[in-house]
Amino acid sequence: MDVFSRAREVKVDPDKPLEGARLAALQARKTLLVPTPRLRTGLFNRIVPPPGATKEILRRCATSQGVKEYSVPVGLDGKARVDLVVVGSVAVSEKGWRIGKGEGYADMEYAMMVSMGAVQEDTPVVTIVHDCQVLDIAEELLDDHDLTVDYILTPTRTIQTNCKRPKPQGIMWHKVSSEMLGKIPILKILRSREKQAGKDVTLQDEHPELANTTRAAISNKKVMAANTQPQAAPVGQAHVESDPGNPRLEGSDTMTTVYVGNLPASLRVSELKSALREFQVTPVRLSWQGAQHRAFLDYRDKGTADRAVSSLQGLSLGGNALRVELAKSQRSKGQGEINSHK
C-alpha cells in the first residue's frame, strides 16, 4: 500500500492478530509505535530492535513479549508524528465504520494522539481483519467518539472506504468516567494540561443527567451489537435458511418474529430496510445475519408481522426471491413442538 510505503512512523495495536503488521513495519525499517496494553503505564512504546537484528529477532520484537523486551516508552512530550495508524476490529463495514472489543481503548488512543498532535486529520487509519468480519453495521451503533477507518485489509481484498464520517477531534471529556480516569494515569496528565489550556474537562460523572443518558446508551448499544453479529450455522446443516431459529428479544415474550431468508450475498441491510419502509412494515428491531443470508424482523403485534410476511414473500431483492415466514418458535406457539422445516 502506498500509505504504508510513504509512512515513516507507524502505530500498530498490540493485539496478537496484528503481529504480522508489526513485523512488516520493522522489516521495512520504519519507526514502530505500539500502545501500552490498556494504557496502564503510558501511551506508546517505541520498538527498538538491537543493531544488526536478524529476521528472527525482528519476529520476536513484533510479539507481545518482544514489545516488552525491545522498547522504550514515549511520553506526552515525545514528539511522536504518526504517519499511519493500524487498528484491530471485531467487525467493520465497507463504509469504514468499525466495532472494537467494546472497551473503547482504540478510540481513546486515537483521541489522545490528536490531543498530543501525533496525528492529523488526514492521517490514514487501516484495519486488518478476516473477510467474514466485513459486515453491514447499523449507524445507530456508532457514537461521535468512535474511530472510523480509511482502509480495510482482508486476505482477499484491499478496500478503500472513502469514509465521510469525521474521526474524533480529541478527547471528549464529558464521555470519560472517573473510573476510566483512574485506570489510565496518562489521561490524568492530559486532562490537567487541557484544563490549564482553558478547555472544558468536566467528566461524565460530573453531569448526573448526562451520566444516566450515557449508561442507557451503552446498554442499548450492547444489545444492538449482539443482534447484528452473525451467528454461526449449526454443524452439519447445509442451508441455514432452511431451519430458521428465533433470536428472541430479552424480556419480550409478546414480540412476533419474522424470518427472511434467501438474501443474496451482495445485498446491503439498507436495501432491506428501504423495502420494509416502502411496504410500511418497519420492525422494531432488525437482526441482520448476512453471512447466513438471512435476517429476523421483530414486531410488537402479530398483525403487522403477518402483513410483513404477505408483503415480502417472493419479493425479488438483488436477483433473489425472498423466503419470508414467521420464525419457527412463533409458529410453534400454542401448537406444541413441531418438526424442523423440510
Side-chain angles (χ1 to χ4, degrees):
M1 295 180 66
D2 287 342
V3 292
F4 180 74
S5 301
R6 293 194 301 265
R8 291 176 296 177
E9 201 155 305
V10 182
K11 173 260 181 187
V12 184
D13 279 356
D15 305 315
K16 173 69 174 176
L18 296 179
E19 197 171 289
R22 296 193 292 273
L23 176 60
L26 291 172
Q27 289 177 329
R29 300 292 186 259
K30 300 183 184 297
T31 299
L32 174 62
L33 299 175
V34 179
T36 302
R38 306 179 74 86
L39 303 173
R40 284 187 293 261
T41 58
L43 181 54
F44 291 132
N45 290 306
R46 179 180 285 114
I47 312 306
V48 184
T54 64
K55 185 174 181 178
E56 287 308 310
I57 294 294
L58 291 180
R59 194 178 297 278
R60 179 167 179 79
C61 290
T63 66
S64 57
Q65 185 59 38
V67 169
K68 296 176 184 176
E69 295 177 1
Y70 298 100
S71 67
V72 294
V74 178
L76 290 177
D77 299 315
K79 306 300 181 185
R81 289 292 181 270
V82 178
D83 302 308
L84 179 66
V85 175
V86 182
V87 297
S89 300
V90 171
V92 63
S93 77
E94 292 189 17
K95 293 180 179 180
W97 304 345
R98 70 178 284 278
I99 293 176
K101 289 180 284 190
E103 297 176 297
Y105 284 103
D107 307 315
M108 179 58 72
E109 288 161 8
Y110 185 87
M112 292 169 73
M113 287 192 289
V114 172
S115 296
M116 292 169 57
V119 294
Q120 308 302 315
E121 190 173 347
D122 59 351
T123 302
V125 178
V126 177
T127 191
I128 303 175
V129 296
H130 192 277
D131 288 278
C132 69
Q133 292 172 269
V134 182
L135 305 166
D136 283 305
I137 295 175
E139 190 167 7
E140 293 80 16
L141 294 178
L142 303 181
D143 207 337
D144 50 5
H145 67 272
D146 287 330
L147 179 62
T148 56
V149 302
D150 303 296
Y151 296 90
I152 304 168
L153 300 187
T154 80
T156 64
R157 294 193 291 168
T158 298
I159 303 168
Q160 185 170 356
T161 67
N162 298 309
C163 186
K164 304 302 181 186
R165 191 180 180 92
K167 294 182 175 65
Q169 299 301 302
I171 299 170
M172 298 180 182
W173 294 105
H174 65 281
K175 296 192 175 183
V176 177
S177 66
S178 298
E179 181 182 7
M180 176 175 279
L181 193 69
K183 290 179 179 178
I184 306 176
I186 196 170
L187 199 55
K188 295 180 181 179
I189 301 172
L190 269 175
R191 186 183 185 222
S192 176
R193 290 188 178 187
E194 295 204 353
K195 185 176 183 179
Q196 290 176 0
K199 294 185 179 181
D200 182 0
V201 295
T202 307
L203 299 180
Q204 178 190 106
D205 318 68
E206 296 165 356
H207 289 295
E209 70 288 349
L210 189 60
N212 292 335
T213 302
T214 303
R215 278 194 293 271
I218 290 172
S219 176
N220 290 337
K221 189 170 181 176
K222 287 180 178 177
V223 171
M224 293 176 71
N227 279 294
T228 55
Q229 296 289 336
Q231 298 179 5
V235 175
Q237 185 169 309
H239 301 287
V240 175
E241 68 266 27
S242 68
D243 188 15
N246 176 23
R248 289 179 56 190
L249 294 175
E250 185 177 350
S252 300
D253 291 335
T254 58
M255 287 285 181
T256 301
T257 301
V258 172
Y259 162 79
V260 181
N262 200 33
L263 297 174
S266 60
L267 189 73
R268 293 178 176 274
V269 66
S270 58
E271 294 174 84
L272 178 58
K273 287 181 177 179
S274 178
L276 294 170
R277 285 194 297 268
E278 183 178 339
F279 288 105
Q280 298 182 343
V281 287
T282 301
V284 294
R285 182 161 301 161
L286 187 158
S287 178
W288 177 261
Q289 300 178 8
Q292 280 76 47
H293 309 290
R294 66 186 183 185
F296 291 93
L297 315 176
D298 293 301
Y299 294 93
R300 294 197 183 280
D301 65 277
K302 190 172 183 299
T304 308
D306 290 337
R307 189 153 49 86
V309 172
S310 61
S311 299
L312 299 175
Q313 182 63 270
L315 177 69
S316 178
L317 283 182
N320 286 16
L322 302 186
R323 177 187 171 192
V324 186
E325 57 196 15
L326 293 180
K328 189 173 73 171
S329 64
Q330 300 297 325
R331 299 196 313 276
S332 300
K333 283 182 180 178
Q335 302 175 23
E337 193 64 28
I338 64 173
N339 295 326
S340 298
H341 291 292
K342 296 182 180 178

